[in-house]
């Protein structure tokens, strides 16, 4: 199996289109197609980007030996330890979240990525006021969260 065929196998296993896979590593759809079909060779930079972005084993991508994916637990533990001291009580929680994220397919990761990006205000925006949408009076609270009104909003 060629490097291009291994790229195709990894991309399909992760659930990405040529376009979405290429976007994640800075390549266009036609460039990805040329790599997968063998018209273009992978550069060292492409290999590093694919391995970093998709947790692909560099040895597997280059030679075909070993496992395709870096063990998720090892990758998550390394990433968490870079961010959080192991003595932090949230270390295991953060590691668990990262392991779960790594197990997601490409489209599911994109949904989570967008959710996180939507939750982060732009740098130039004023600080968020967590109470800005809270009802001002008990009556407004009751009106907003009354079961009849909730059903109206949902259905």
């Amino acid at each position: 199996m060629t490097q291009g065929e291994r790229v195709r196998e990894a991309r399909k296993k992760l659930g990405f289109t040529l376009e979405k896979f290429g976007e994640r590593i800075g390549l266009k759809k036609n460039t990805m197609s040329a790599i997968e079909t063998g018209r273009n060779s992978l550069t060292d930079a492409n290999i590093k980007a694919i391995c970093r972005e998709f947790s692909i084993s560099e040895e597997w991508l280059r030679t075909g030996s070993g496992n395709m994916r870096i063990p998720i637990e090892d990758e998550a533990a390394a990433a968490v330890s870079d961010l959080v001291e192991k003595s932090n009580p949230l270390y295991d929680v953060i590691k668990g979240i990262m392991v779960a994220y790594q197990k997601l397919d490409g489209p599911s990761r994109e949904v989570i990525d967008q959710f996180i990006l939507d939750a982060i205000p732009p740098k130039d925006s004023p600080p968020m006021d967590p109470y800005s949408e809270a009802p001002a009076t008990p009556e407004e609270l009751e009106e907003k969260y009354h079961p009849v009104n909730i059903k109206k909003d949902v259905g």
Side-chain angles (χ1 to χ4, degrees):
M1 183 182 293
T2 67
Q3 286 183 346
E5 290 169 333
R6 285 191 289 278
V7 169
R8 176 183 291 127
E9 182 181 338
R11 177 182 61 79
K12 288 188 173 197
K13 183 173 182 161
L14 293 169
F16 282 97
T17 63
L18 278 169
E19 185 174 11
K20 293 290 183 184
F21 191 89
E23 280 177 11
R24 297 274 296 261
I25 59 170
L27 298 176
K28 300 222 179 278
K29 177 181 175 180
N30 59 345
T31 304
M32 287 303 309
S33 178
I35 288 170
E36 288 187 2
T37 59
R39 291 190 314 270
N40 287 8
S41 297
L42 280 171
T43 66
D44 281 340
N46 296 150
I47 290 171
K48 298 278 187 197
I50 290 169
C51 294
R52 180 189 65 247
E53 188 65 28
F54 301 106
S55 304
I56 301 295
S57 163
E58 188 171 339
E59 178 184 355
W60 177 84
L61 187 55
R62 287 184 186 276
T63 68
S65 63
N67 293 322
M68 176 193 300
R69 301 291 306 271
I70 297 168
I72 292 171
E73 287 75 14
D74 293 350
E75 180 190 1
V80 172
S81 65
D82 287 345
L83 299 172
V84 180
E85 293 292 323
K86 289 185 179 181
S87 60
N88 185 316
L90 294 177
Y91 176 84
D92 289 332
V93 172
I94 295 169
K95 180 181 171 188
I97 290 169
M98 292 181 78
V99 166
Y101 177 81
Q102 291 297 323
K103 290 179 181 178
L104 296 173
D105 62 6
S108 298
R109 282 188 186 188
E110 288 180 11
V111 169
I112 299 296
D113 293 346
Q114 191 59 56
F115 172 80
I116 292 168
L117 290 172
D118 290 345
I120 300 170
K123 289 184 180 189
D124 57 347
S125 69
M128 290 178 48
D129 176 8
Y131 302 106
S132 62
E133 294 187 23
T137 66
E139 291 78 19
E140 289 176 11
L141 178 67
E142 187 172 314
E143 176 67 24
K144 183 172 183 175
Y145 293 104
H146 190 277
V148 172
N149 295 330
I150 291 174
K151 286 181 184 174
K152 248 191 315 192
D153 291 344
V154 172

